[in-house]
Amino acid sequence: MPERTIYFDHAATTALDARVLAMMLPYFTTEYGNASSIYTLGRHAMQAIDNAREQVAAILGCRPTEVTFTGCGSESDNLAIKGMAYATQKKGNHLITSAIEHHAVLHTCQYLERFGFKTTYLPVDSDGRVDPDEVGRAITDQTVLVSVMYANNEVGTIEPVAEIGRICRARKVPFHIDAVQAGGALPLDVAALNADLLSLSAHKFYGPKGVGILYVRQGMRLLPQLQGGSQERGRRAGTENVAGIVGAATALRLAQEELPQVTPRITALRDRVIAGMLTIPRTRLTGHPTERLPNNASFCFEGVEGESILLNLDLLGIAASTGSACTSGSVDPSHVLVAMGLPLEWSRGSLRLTLGKENTDADVDVLLAALPGIIEKLRSLGGLTVAA
Ligand code: PLP
C-alpha cells in the first residue's frame, strides 16, 4: 500500500484545514453550551454563531439575517426548493432547473412532482452550459422558482448564473443557485450573482462535514422544512451545531481570502493534468474548455470503464472519481454526460480529477506517469461491449 494517498477528489470532499479545527475545538469541550440557554455558557455559543453569521454575510455581501445554517448542502438545496415551492404554491406550480444539477436538486424537484408540481429540465450544450435565453423562454406565469447550479460537480462547467439571475429578476421569478462546488473557488457576491437563494456546503472548502449554508434574500417567503424550536429565525429547527457553524464560517473566510494565491497555483496544476491526459489517444476533455472550475480536470476515454481506471489508480494510492453514480451494481452513465450528448462508449469511461490546495507538481507527475499505461492496459484487455 502506498504511504500517502494522492488525493484528486476535492469535489467529493476536502480535509479539514488545521486552522479551522483549532477554531472549532473549544466548542466541543469547554464552550459546550446550548445557544438557546440564557446563562453565560449559552450566550457564548450564541455569540459564536452570531460571529459566524456575520463572517458569512460579509463574504456574500448580504445581511446576517439573510444567512441560515443547515446540516449540509443537500439540506440547503431542499430547503430552498421545497421551502419556496410550498410557500408560493398558490401562485403557481412550475419549477425550472437544468438537466445537469446535483441529485440534491433533481430529486427534490422529482419529489415535488408527486405533489402536483411540474418541472422543466433545461438542456445544456455539449460543454454543459445552460443557455440563459432558454430560461427566459421556459418561464410561465406559473413559475415559482428557477434553480441553476453555479458550477457543475462532475465536469466543472461554470454556468452563466448572473445572466440567468438577471432574466429571473426581470420576470419577478425567484432564483436559487446551488453554489456548493463554487464555494471555495469563485466569488460569492449574491448581489452580483442576482441570487435570491444560494446554497453552500462547508466540507467542500476545507470545513467540517455536516454544515450547510443557505442565503435567503430578505423578503423571500420560505416554508420551513423542519418543525420544532425557533432556531435560525424559525427557518430551521434544532439545536445548533455550534462547532460546525464556527468551522464553516472560518473555512469560507479562509478559502475566499486565499483565492488570489490558491487559484493560479491550482489552475496551473490542472492545466498540466489536462495537457498530459490529452496526449492519450481517444481522450476527450469534458466540460467547458475555459469556463470551468480552476480545480476540475474531467475526461472521457473511449472504450474503457471508468470504475476500472479508479481501481487501478487506487492501487497506486491515487484517489479520483468517475463523477457518475453507481446503482446496485450496474454502472449507469452519468446524467450530466448524457445531457451533454456523449455517446455511451465514451461516457462509460469518465474520470474526474479535482485538485486541492495541498496537491503538488510531484502529485501530478505520479498521475501523468501512471495513467497512459493504465488506459492502454485496460483497452488491451478488451474494453467495452456496448449494447446496440
Ligand atoms: N450540490 C452540489 C453541486 C454538490 O456537488 C453536492 C455534493 O457533492 C451537493 C449539492 C450536496 O452537498 P452535501 O454533500 O453537503 O449534502
Side-chain angles (χ1 to χ4, degrees):
M1 186 64 196
E3 280 167 25
R4 169 176 95 84
T5 299
I6 298 181
Y7 191 70
F8 285 132
D9 202 13
H10 292 81
T13 196
T14 55
L16 192 70
D17 187 302
R19 295 165 295 177
V20 175
L21 177 62
M23 293 296 285
M24 293 171 68
L25 280 177
Y27 298 96
F28 288 115
T29 53
T30 49
E31 298 288 356
Y32 53 83
N34 183 319
S36 301
S37 305
I38 58 166
Y39 44 78
T40 308
L41 208 54
R43 290 203 308 275
H44 282 182
M46 185 50 90
Q47 188 61 56
I49 295 173
D50 288 346
N51 288 344
R53 207 184 303 282
E54 278 164 24
Q55 283 185 51
V56 172
I59 289 157
L60 303 185
C62 69
R63 299 178 180 90
T65 49
E66 295 173 312
V67 174
T68 299
F69 291 108
T70 68
C72 55
S74 301
E75 189 191 327
S76 294
D77 287 342
N78 271 260
L79 177 56
I81 299 168
K82 289 183 196 156
M84 284 303 295
Y86 288 133
T88 49
Q89 215 166 1
K90 286 208 182 78
K91 193 173 161 265
N93 67 345
H94 181 226
L95 308 165
I96 299 174
T97 190
S98 85
I100 61 158
E101 298 296 309
H102 189 271
H103 285 140
V105 168
L106 289 179
H107 288 170
T108 304
C109 292
Q110 285 159 19
Y111 170 85
L112 285 168
E113 287 163 26
R114 289 162 43 191
F115 300 93
F117 287 90
K118 295 186 168 53
T119 313
T120 300
Y121 298 92
L122 297 169
V124 293
D125 66 16
S126 58
D127 293 330
R129 293 260 286 185
V130 172
D131 177 353
D133 292 340
E134 293 260 11
V135 178
R137 281 193 286 274
I139 292 175
T140 71
D141 59 0
Q142 290 294 303
T143 310
V144 291
L145 185 70
V146 173
S147 180
V148 176
M149 65 201 326
Y150 199 161
N152 181 265
N153 47 300
E154 293 188 21
V155 297
T157 297
I158 299 172
E159 300 298 335
V161 279
E163 178 57 12
I164 294 171
R166 197 188 58 73
I167 292 168
C168 291
R169 194 144 299 170
R171 304 282 293 273
K172 296 193 169 43
V173 176
F175 179 44
H176 167 242
I177 302 178
D178 176 347
V180 168
Q181 288 294 335
L186 301 174
L188 294 176
D189 185 316
V190 288
L193 293 170
N194 297 317
D196 296 307
L197 303 121
L198 182 138
S199 302
L200 292 167
S201 178
H203 75 102
K204 306 292 188 184
F205 42 81
Y206 310 94
K209 293 173 183 59
V211 196
I213 295 170
L214 180 63
Y215 159 74
V216 185
R217 193 158 75 87
Q218 187 165 300
M220 290 287 126
R221 278 184 54 225
L222 198 73
L223 205 70
Q225 298 300 302
L226 270 184
Q227 276 64 53
S230 57
Q231 291 92 348
E232 297 301 292
R233 303 183 137 244
R235 288 240 153 95
R236 201 251 184 191
T239 300
E240 299 89 340
N241 172 4
V242 186
I245 288 170
V246 168
T250 309
L252 187 64
R253 179 175 56 75
L254 289 172
Q256 289 284 321
E257 273 171 17
E258 292 173 359
L259 279 187
Q261 293 83 51
V262 171
T263 306
R265 213 178 67 74
I266 291 194
T267 307
L269 289 178
R270 178 202 69 184
D271 290 345
R272 267 197 70 202
V273 172
I274 293 178
M277 290 298 143
L278 292 181
T279 63
I280 302 173
R282 291 146 68 202
T283 301
R284 287 188 196 181
L285 178 71
T286 50
H288 198 281
T290 53
E291 290 297 310
R292 63 187 302 131
L293 285 172
N295 76 334
N296 180 299
S298 301
F299 307 92
C300 281
F301 303 95
E302 191 188 18
V304 187
E305 289 279 1
E307 276 63 28
S308 310
I309 308 174
L310 295 193
L311 294 176
N312 280 273
L313 287 175
D314 188 42
L315 291 174
L316 301 172
I318 301 173
S321 161
T322 59
S324 71
C326 308
T327 34
S328 60
S330 79
V331 184
D332 289 332
S334 129
H335 66 283
V336 176
L337 300 178
V338 170
M340 288 163 57
L342 254 97
L344 195 57
E345 58 278 22
W346 283 89
S347 62
R348 285 242 177 117
S350 60
L351 177 69
R352 178 187 72 180
L353 301 156
T354 44
L355 294 94
K357 59 183 178 178
E358 75 281 6
N359 285 131
T360 61
D361 271 303
D363 294 344
V364 174
D365 291 343
V366 175
L367 177 81
L368 295 183
L371 248 177
I374 292 175
I375 302 293
E376 201 184 309
K377 184 180 84 181
L378 291 173
R379 280 185 177 146
S380 73
L381 287 175
L384 270 179
T385 346
V386 180

